[in-house]
Amino acid sequence: MTTTNNTKALIESVKETLTQDGDLLRNIIQQVLQEMLEAEMDQVLGASKSERSD
């Protein structure tokens, strides 16, 4: 379920970025890379943010 919530949050964030002025491509790449890094860290640790692995 966390992945679905993260994906929805990412989509909303990208939509917001698309409607704002500024360096669009840089913001999109930054958001995608951040999401990828967080997903990789979750996998390595065996737990998502604010969760404990036993």
Side-chain angles (χ1 to χ4, degrees):
M1 294 279 179
T2 304
T3 303
T4 303
N5 292 339
N6 288 343
T7 302
K8 288 180 182 178
L10 179 60
I11 290 170
E12 288 302 316
S13 181
V14 170
K15 285 181 183 179
E16 183 179 327
T17 302
L18 288 172
T19 61
Q20 295 176 352
D21 293 338
D23 191 358
L24 179 65
L25 184 57
R26 179 174 183 235
N27 289 333
I28 291 173
I29 291 172
Q30 182 178 9
Q31 290 174 13
V32 169
L33 288 175
Q34 182 66 36
E35 187 69 25
M36 289 172 60
L37 289 171
E38 288 180 11
E40 185 176 351
M41 185 59 73
D42 291 348
Q43 186 178 23
V44 168
L45 295 176
S48 296
K49 274 187 174 178
S50 303
E51 289 183 0
R52 292 175 51 174
S53 62
D54 294 325

